[in-house]
Amino acid sequence: METAEKIRNLPKEEVAKNIEEATGLLEKEQSLIEVETEKAVFVGDTHGDLSSTLTAFDKYENIGYKLIFLGDYVDRGEYQIENINFLISKKLEKKSELILLRGNHETEEMNKAYGFFREVARKYGPNFYELYIKLFSNLPYAVVVNKKFLALHGGLARNLNSLEDIRELKKGEMNPRGVAMEILWNDPIDFIEGFETSDRGPGIYYFGKDVLDKFLEKNKLSILIRSHEPRANGVSIEMDGKLYVVFSCRYYGIKPGALVLNGDKITPSRL
Ligand SMILES: [Mn+2]
């Protein structure tokens, strides 16, 4: 891949400068971003699948779409450094036209367990990771589009009642806990009521449809858009059409998906 080659060969000093500049931009973004737009594309986990990321930009960036990525850019996949470095350079170029949310893999714990920390140490030296984790710690947690659609990486959280609660989340933690951690990690599940402890580990929960219904209604929202779990067709519409799941990394043997907003309507698509 020509682009991958180009990104791979960026000098270390230039990569460092880009990360620091992008961190400066992200520090100014709220934990909850609020946007109004006729056209937007939601991209789910990419996990080093640079090809999905490039396809999203190729297809949508020059025809007026806001690009909204739901986190999990690194760990697992073949081009994790290229993927995050590409997104960072695009953030510098597109500013608020590109929204990068935080995923559970934009944390120190996950990067140390699933490969990104080592990849970075091998390529740029042992201290370079500090730049990435500072950037990750400043990614926003969620975005509300047109006051109707809430997008985040994982799911709703036990002590999350209003959008105000997301707005008040502090950024800057390498490994968030509490509501922030649950937003990055929780999964929806049919056939339960309220919250149940998750198989994923301590501090993580499943939430039922009643939780979703209540949250959407209370906050006058219509749909929750989230990523975090692969779906065979990249996209699936669940819980009576109130939950849209999008996953965009092909390393799970799935077809990478995207969700395309035009006006009032969100349509499943492929990358
Ligand atoms: Mn995830």
Side-chain angles (χ1 to χ4, degrees):
M1 228 193 301
E2 198 189 325
T3 314
E5 199 66 30
K6 223 173 104 189
I7 305 166
R8 190 174 301 132
N9 295 330
L10 277 180
K12 181 178 165 180
E13 295 68 28
E14 197 178 325
V15 175
K17 189 168 151 277
N18 286 351
I19 299 173
E20 282 171 332
E21 269 182 47
T23 302
L25 286 179
L26 293 167
E27 279 171 342
K28 295 194 198 93
E29 292 186 355
Q30 304 295 312
S31 286
L32 176 69
I33 294 186
E34 288 159 271
V35 297
E36 302 283 330
T37 181
E38 284 288 299
K39 293 168 155 195
V41 176
F42 299 89
V43 180
D45 298 32
T46 45
H47 282 302
D49 186 348
L50 179 65
S51 169
S52 288
T53 300
L54 293 177
T55 305
F57 280 89
D58 282 349
K59 280 177 83 168
Y60 298 105
E61 81 164 314
N62 294 322
I63 50 169
Y65 283 84
K66 244 183 219 304
L67 285 119
I68 301 174
F69 283 71
L70 303 190
D72 281 12
Y73 314 112
V74 298
D75 290 327
R76 306 189 199 277
E78 198 179 339
Y79 297 98
Q80 20 182 326
I81 291 183
E82 290 82 356
N83 193 44
I84 188 65
N85 286 356
F86 177 79
L87 287 167
I88 287 166
S89 64
K90 279 292 178 187
K91 180 69 186 172
L92 296 177
E93 178 191 325
K94 304 195 80 72
K95 312 275 187 327
S96 64
E97 287 306 294
L98 169 63
I99 295 170
L100 300 174
L101 297 182
R102 192 172 191 179
N104 62 306
H105 280 267
E106 279 72 53
T107 59
E108 184 212 26
E109 288 167 337
M110 294 306 275
N111 295 156
K112 289 202 163 159
Y114 288 92
F116 184 64
F117 179 85
R118 271 189 217 180
E119 287 280 304
V120 171
R122 195 164 59 196
K123 189 171 170 69
Y124 299 124
N127 299 322
F128 200 88
Y129 176 76
E130 287 168 21
L131 294 175
Y132 282 110
I133 192 61
K134 187 168 179 213
L135 178 128
F136 292 166
S137 306
N138 281 290
L139 291 168
Y141 286 104
V143 54
V144 186
V145 179
N146 301 344
K147 299 187 174 69
K148 286 176 70 172
F149 310 110
L150 175 67
L152 45 73
H153 183 73
L156 298 178
R158 287 169 310 157
N159 294 311
L160 176 61
N161 298 304
S162 66
L163 293 178
E164 192 55 34
D165 294 337
I166 306 180
R167 230 172 259 132
E168 282 171 5
L169 291 174
K170 292 257 179 305
K171 291 199 290 177
E173 296 288 327
M174 288 199 293
N175 298 299
R177 292 289 180 261
V179 170
M181 179 181 180
E182 290 186 40
I183 286 174
L184 303 184
W185 279 95
N186 287 0
D187 298 299
I189 198 163
D190 282 320
F191 315 119
I192 68 161
E193 279 183 26
F195 288 89
E196 285 186 13
T197 55
S198 169
D199 296 335
R200 288 186 189 264
I204 305 167
Y205 295 83
Y206 298 117
F207 61 96
K209 185 173 174 296
D210 59 326
V211 173
L212 178 68
D213 287 343
K214 204 172 129 196
F215 186 87
L216 293 179
E217 196 188 338
K218 184 160 185 273
N219 292 283
K220 301 185 173 65
L221 298 164
S222 55
I223 289 169
L224 176 68
I225 299 165
R226 52 90 66 174
S227 182
H228 196 40
E229 290 179 293
R231 293 290 189 267
N233 292 314
V235 172
S236 84
I237 299 172
E238 300 168 15
M239 294 189 169
D240 297 336
K242 292 179 182 173
L243 178 78
Y244 283 49
V245 183
V246 57
F247 204 82
S248 310
C249 160
R250 71 203 68 208
Y251 297 128
Y252 288 72
I254 63 143
K255 301 186 176 87
L259 291 167
V260 184
L261 170 72
N262 283 299
D264 251 5
K265 204 173 152 35
I266 299 179
T267 315
S269 182
R270 290 270 162 77
L271 289 179

